[in-house]
Structure formats: C-alpha cells, structure tokens
Amino acid sequence: MDYSKFFRAALNRLHDERRYRVFADLERIAGRFPHAVWHSPKGPRNVVIWCSNDYLGMGQHPKVVGAMVETATRVGTGAGGTRNIAGTHHPLVQLEQELADLHGKQASLLFTSGYVSNQTGISTIAKLIPDCLILSDALNHNSMIEGVRQAGCERQIFRHNDMAHLEELLIAAGPDRPKLIACESLYSMDGDVAPLAKICDLAEKYGAMTYVDEVHAVGMYGPRGGGIAERDGVMHRIDVLEGTLAKAFGCLGGYIAGSAEIIDSVRSYAPGFIFTTALPPAICSAATAAIRHLKASNWERERHQDRAARVKAILNAAGLPVMSNETHIVPLFVGDPEKCKQASDMLLEEHGIYIQPINYPTVAKGTERLRITPSPYHDDGLVDRLAEALLQVWDRLGLPLKQQSLAAE
Ligand SMILES: *Cc1c(COP(=O)(O)O)cnc(C)c1O
C-alpha cells in the first residue's frame, strides 16, 4: 500500500485551494519590539512585526523576562509532574490566586494553553450538567467548538452577537432545561465585541449559565486588565471566564476562573487538566509578573488604544479598506486568498513588514484579510511606512481603494 499518496493528496488539496500555510521563521529581539529578524530563504533580514498577539509587548518586558530567568535559576526548568503527582509548585499556586483576583472570582485553574482550557473546560462543565443544552455563538473560536463537540450534549448555534436569536433559543429550550451560553467577549478576526451585559440579562432571565472567552481582552481592557467583562461592570454576573497567558500577558498557558465549586469540579474531572504535566515554574512566575504589572499600569492599555486609533485613521485616510470596529484589531479587507497571500509576501520581501495573511478556514471564504495588530511600540514613523507600503502593494495587485467620499468619512 502506498500510504504516502494520501498525504500528497491532502497537501495538494491545500495548495489547490490556496490555503497551504507557510510559516515565517522569526527571531524576536528582546527590548526592540516590534523589530525582529526574519530568517528568509535568502538569509537573515530585519523586519517589523505587525501581526503579533503579544499585543502589549509584555513578552519582552524587563519585569517579565526577569521573573522568568530568576525563577528558572532558583527552581529549575520543568514542573516535574502532573498537578496530582509532584507537579503543583508554588509559582503556579500563586498564579492561580492572581488570576482569581484579576477576575473577582473565588478560584481559577491553569491549563497548558488557552486552547486546552476551552476544549477541556467547556466539555467537562457541560458533561457535569445532566441534559445540558449548549448555546454557542456562530463565530466562536475552534477551541470552543471542540469543547462543545466533546461535551457530547445537544448544542445550538446562535447567529453572531444576535441577542434576539439567542433569546429565541433560550425560550424554546424551556425554563427547566439546563443551558450553557458560550461566547467570546472580543472576536479577534473582526475585532467586534459581544454585548455582555445583554447576554447576562438573558442568562439571568432564562436561567442559563455563562462561559465567556476573554482571550483577546485580558490585560487590555478594564481598569486592571480584567477584560471586557471588567470594563462593562459585568464580571460578577458571568459564571466562567476563560483567558490566556499567551497574548497580552506575553507568556504561555490558559485558565478558567469561577466559583470554588465549578473550579474544583473541573480540577477533579477534566482529562485535559489531569493527564498532562503542569506548566513550568518560570512561565508561571513570568505570567504573574505580567498580570501584576498590568493590574497597576494603565500606560500600556492607553498607548495600545492610541496606536490602534492612529493606524486606523492613517489607513482610512489613505483609502485602504479597513474593516471598522471599536477595538485594537485592524482588519484590512482583501477578499481573495491568492491576493491576500501575495500582498503578505510583497510586504515582507519588499518592505520588511510582516503581516500574515488570514485565509479560510480561520475566516469565511471571500473575507480573506490582513489582520494588523498595533502595539504600544509601533510609533508614528512605523505607521506611516506601513501605509505607504500597503498603498504600493494595493496598486501592484490592483486591489480596490475605498471611494474618496467613503475615505473621507
Ligand atoms: C488564541 C485563542 C485561544 C487559544 O489560546 P492559546 O493560549 O493560544 O492556546 C482561545 N480562544 C481564542 C478566541 C483565541 O483566539
């Protein structure tokens, strides 16, 4: 049997659909964010990163790097075991306390990634509720979809952020059926925000539990970086908040926060928590340092919003098709997978600007885009150079600019 032909065919399908992924080999330089070295096929080159999820540059913050180095030097590298067998170390326990405090919850639970926290968190919670019906937003992240799927219970999808549709489904389910609403607070590809207060109203009215993914908001929104729920004053009304340590906090790991009973139950039943080695102490200490810093410092959050607004203003003024939203994400519409990839390649090779193309299945076909994520460290000069490079690329590829009347809006 020629097994290799199956894999060749699988890869060819991706090439044919123009969605075969090519990774950029990058080397970040601590203290110089967003500048980095790209190890191109022709050798190393300096580039500016415009699509990192290290949104606030905390992955290179001296306090965070310092905490990681100090802890590794003091206690070593690995955790040495699963949480149950020798792997529960002090920096991890402190981090869980820090996260519970961040979200105003009784407890929190760490996982090796945000992906795992959703996958095993949602499925375990739903499995512990007899006859649970999951109501899931249509644009939920793959990690949530997998969690819902693994729960094995009935699920219904409500149209993205459509509260009338969600209410319809809640009414149809009836008051006695246990219901779990699962959604994100900030959707990272469009940069739009869920109406969390309204979702809490509906959950309370119809007796549903709420699970909210704040991965793209923790650290960046709310007076202490608690996310959109903190900003909107509804943190205490949401049953389970989920977040990552890998984006605005610049490290690695995921978590859920909630009541002591929910957290203790997931701790006791979730396979994706139980049967895997705990996060290393150095990562936990670094994450704690990032969270503590962002609880007290507003500089990063304010500058982050200022930079995002600046990028949107400059690109809009140039007539580039910015997809509008009120957050820090700047999606630039392309609408074609091949051109999206070409635009990205030209930016990198000719302008030293790195923006990964976002194609299907991450976004719907026909909505391919460049997703730009300004950080506090992208200064005016870099923004101007980005706009000039994009205009040249748009011209070369024959991509449309907005009408002058629209551009002036
Ligand atoms: C990135 C992401 C995750 C996964 O978080 P990781 O820590 O990177 O595994 C979960 N949810 C959403 C919405 C994400 O974008």
Side-chain angles (χ1 to χ4, degrees), residues 12-309:
N12 283 339
R13 281 201 297 278
L14 295 178
H15 283 293
D16 289 347
E17 292 172 25
R18 298 290 178 266
R19 57 189 191 92
Y20 177 77
R21 291 175 166 174
V22 182
F23 299 155
D25 176 356
L26 300 167
E27 187 170 338
R28 306 214 299 160
I29 308 157
R32 293 207 55 222
F33 189 70
H35 297 275
V37 173
W38 170 45
H39 291 275
S40 80
K42 294 175 199 148
R45 285 185 51 189
N46 294 319
V47 296
V48 175
I49 300 182
W50 272 105
C51 60
S52 177
N53 279 342
D54 185 358
Y55 291 119
L56 303 177
M58 292 305 287
Q60 300 186 357
H61 194 288
K63 280 188 194 169
V64 180
V65 177
M68 185 175 278
V69 171
E70 187 278 326
T71 302
T73 307
R74 193 162 42 83
V75 307
T77 52
T82 62
R83 286 295 297 271
N84 190 41
I85 307 175
T88 297
H89 50 80
H90 196 55
L92 190 154
V93 173
Q94 287 177 309
L95 173 55
E96 286 185 335
Q97 286 164 358
E98 197 66 44
L99 288 164
D101 173 82
L102 176 68
H103 294 290
K105 297 293 179 197
Q106 290 174 335
S108 86
L109 196 68
L110 269 179
F111 302 85
T112 36
S113 73
Y115 193 99
V116 173
S117 65
N118 275 334
Q119 189 182 32
T120 204
I122 294 174
S123 59
T124 303
I125 289 166
K127 275 184 176 157
L128 293 174
I129 305 172
D131 194 32
C132 184
L133 169 67
I134 301 181
L135 300 170
S136 180
D137 187 282
L139 288 192
N140 276 345
H141 187 258
N142 178 270
S143 55
M144 302 183 78
I145 296 171
E146 282 300 311
V148 170
R149 205 179 54 76
Q150 282 181 26
C153 59
E154 190 188 345
R155 65 165 164 76
Q156 289 171 350
I157 313 294
F158 60 95
R159 287 188 296 274
H160 176 55
N161 279 348
D162 185 334
M163 293 300 102
H165 192 205
L166 175 59
E167 183 162 22
E168 234 175 76
L169 298 177
L170 284 164
I171 292 170
D176 299 330
R177 179 103 191 248
K179 300 167 283 290
L180 175 67
I181 301 172
C183 67
E184 300 180 27
S185 65
L186 195 164
Y187 291 83
S188 74
M189 291 300 149
D190 293 322
D192 60 336
V193 171
L196 291 184
K198 181 73 188 160
I199 289 171
C200 291
D201 290 346
L202 291 176
E204 285 159 15
K205 185 168 177 191
Y206 298 102
M209 234 182 99
T210 45
Y211 180 108
V212 178
D213 174 320
E214 286 256 39
V215 160
H216 292 278
V218 288
M220 293 171 280
Y221 295 85
R224 295 202 312 159
I228 298 288
E230 187 193 23
R231 185 196 72 178
D232 292 356
V234 297
M235 226 158 44
H236 61 289
R237 298 174 68 194
I238 294 168
D239 294 299
V240 182
L241 288 158
E242 184 271 344
T244 185
L245 305 172
K247 288 167 185 171
F249 296 130
C251 296
L252 182 73
Y255 64 90
I256 58 171
S259 72
E261 283 173 352
I262 293 174
I263 298 304
D264 202 19
S265 302
V266 176
R267 182 186 75 88
S268 309
Y269 281 95
F273 173 82
I274 296 170
F275 299 103
T276 189
T277 300
L279 280 175
I283 287 181
C284 295
S285 292
T288 300
I291 296 162
R292 282 187 185 156
H293 177 81
L294 290 173
K295 274 180 179 171
S297 169
N298 268 317
W299 181 85
E300 288 81 3
R301 278 186 285 278
E302 283 166 13
R303 173 88 180 155
H304 185 219
Q305 292 297 320
D306 171 77
R307 294 293 84 195

Side-chain angles (χ1 to χ4, degrees), residues 4 333 376 395:
S4 67
F333 186 84
D395 184 53

